[in-house]
Amino acid sequence: EPELYFKEPEELLQVLTELEEQNLTLVQYSQDVDENLEDVNKREKLIQDKINSNIEFLLKHKKMLKASCEREEEKAAELELRSRLFSFGEFQSDTQEKLIDSLSKKINQVYRVCIGDADVGSLNPVQKLVKVESRLVELSDLIESMPKENVEAIERIKQKERRQKLREEKMKEKQKHQEERLRAALERAVAQPKKKLGRRLVYRSKPPSGNKHELLLVKDTRTKSLEDEYFFT
């Protein structure tokens, strides 16, 4: 007699219920795996994008550093040439001192504009130039990281400000010139007239021409000749 696996109908229902629960569990697990896989793919994409961005930034930074090195080499060559000129006596000591003072003043002006008034008196010109260069590199990196549209908009604003400043300077210069002319005119009007010293110049007539005298002399000579010819011939 064959063996029966189920003696009661409820047992079959219980087995089906258990299988259904297992199936639901597997479906839920599959969904969780899919979600985890999607999250992993997103994280992988973000990491890859970040790596690509870092690589691009490093390449740009490398290019900028290379350009900075080239500029530094050019500056070093120029400074070496100047030092040789100084050491060879191309410039006199007074000229050297004046040139160094002028360069120091220019460096201080640039330092105040780029960095500020801090440490102006405590740093030597070379240290100031190093800080200015570092600041310029930072600003250059910042400009490179900004969107191109924003940079162009800022450049247009700066150009407009420079043109406005130039117009104002021209107007001030023109106004100053007009004020100087007006002040000079007022000074001339207020000043006492200068009294002329010495005799007053009198117009003199021109002396008689010598040609007229010669003409009269020739005429008298001809008249006398005619009279002599009439009376003595």
Side-chain angles (χ1 to χ4, degrees):
E1 183 178 0
E3 183 179 0
L4 294 176
Y5 293 98
F6 304 102
K7 295 179 180 179
E8 298 294 334
E10 289 79 4
E11 294 179 358
L12 180 59
L13 291 175
Q14 185 177 0
V15 171
L16 290 175
T17 303
E18 292 177 356
L19 290 175
E20 186 177 3
E21 290 177 355
Q22 292 178 2
N23 190 18
L24 291 175
T25 303
L26 291 174
V27 170
Q28 183 66 34
Y29 179 75
S30 177
Q31 291 178 353
D32 293 339
V33 169
D34 291 337
E35 291 179 358
N36 292 331
L37 182 61
E38 186 176 358
D39 292 338
V40 169
N41 291 331
K42 288 181 179 179
R43 286 198 298 270
E44 182 183 3
K45 188 176 184 303
L46 290 174
I47 293 171
Q48 187 65 36
D49 293 340
K50 188 175 181 180
I51 291 173
N52 293 333
S53 177
N54 290 334
I55 291 173
E56 185 178 0
F57 174 77
L58 290 174
L59 290 175
K60 289 182 179 179
H61 192 62
K62 177 183 176 182
K63 186 177 180 181
M64 292 174 58
L65 289 176
K66 186 176 180 181
S68 299
C69 291
E70 292 177 355
R71 289 195 299 269
E72 290 297 328
E73 290 177 356
E74 292 177 357
K75 291 179 182 178
E78 184 178 359
L79 291 174
E80 183 180 1
L81 177 60
R82 290 189 178 184
S83 64
R84 287 181 179 178
L85 292 175
F86 285 151
S87 61
F88 290 161
E90 181 70 19
F91 297 99
Q92 298 179 357
S93 59
D94 295 339
T95 306
Q96 293 180 11
E97 292 295 333
K98 291 180 181 179
L99 181 59
I100 291 173
D101 291 339
S102 177
L103 289 175
S104 299
K105 290 179 181 179
K106 293 294 183 182
I107 291 172
N108 290 334
Q109 291 177 1
V110 175
Y111 185 85
R112 286 190 176 93
V113 173
C114 297
I115 307 299
D117 294 331
D119 301 331
V120 175
S122 60
L123 298 177
N124 58 37
V126 177
Q127 293 173 342
K128 293 175 185 177
L129 288 176
V130 171
K131 294 191 70 173
V132 169
E133 186 176 3
S134 300
R135 179 60 177 167
L136 291 177
V137 171
E138 292 177 1
L139 294 176
S140 179
D141 294 339
L142 180 61
I143 291 174
E144 290 292 335
S145 63
M146 292 174 62
K148 186 177 180 181
E149 295 80 7
N150 295 345
V151 175
E152 292 177 352
I154 293 172
E155 287 180 352
R156 287 194 296 268
I157 293 173
K158 291 297 182 181
Q159 289 177 359
K160 185 177 180 181
E161 291 178 354
R162 284 194 292 269
R163 289 194 296 268
Q164 181 66 24
K165 185 177 180 181
L166 183 61
R167 284 195 296 268
E168 291 177 356
E169 290 178 353
K170 287 183 178 180
M171 290 295 295
K172 289 181 180 178
E173 185 177 356
K174 184 177 180 181
Q175 185 177 1
K176 183 179 179 181
H177 182 64
Q178 290 178 352
E179 290 177 355
E180 290 178 354
R181 291 182 59 186
L182 181 60
R183 184 170 58 253
L186 290 174
E187 289 177 355
R188 288 195 301 269
V190 174
Q192 295 181 357
K194 294 182 179 180
K195 187 176 181 181
K196 295 182 179 180
L197 302 177
R199 296 177 61 185
R200 184 178 179 183
L201 297 177
V202 180
Y203 176 76
R204 293 184 178 182
S205 60
K206 294 182 179 181
S209 176
N211 295 332
K212 186 175 181 181
H213 180 69
E214 292 178 358
L215 183 61
L216 292 175
L217 183 59
V218 171
K219 186 176 181 181
D220 292 341
T221 305
R222 291 183 62 187
T223 304
K224 187 176 181 181
S225 299
L226 291 174
E227 289 178 353
D228 291 340
E229 185 179 357
Y230 177 77
F231 289 108
F232 296 103
T233 56

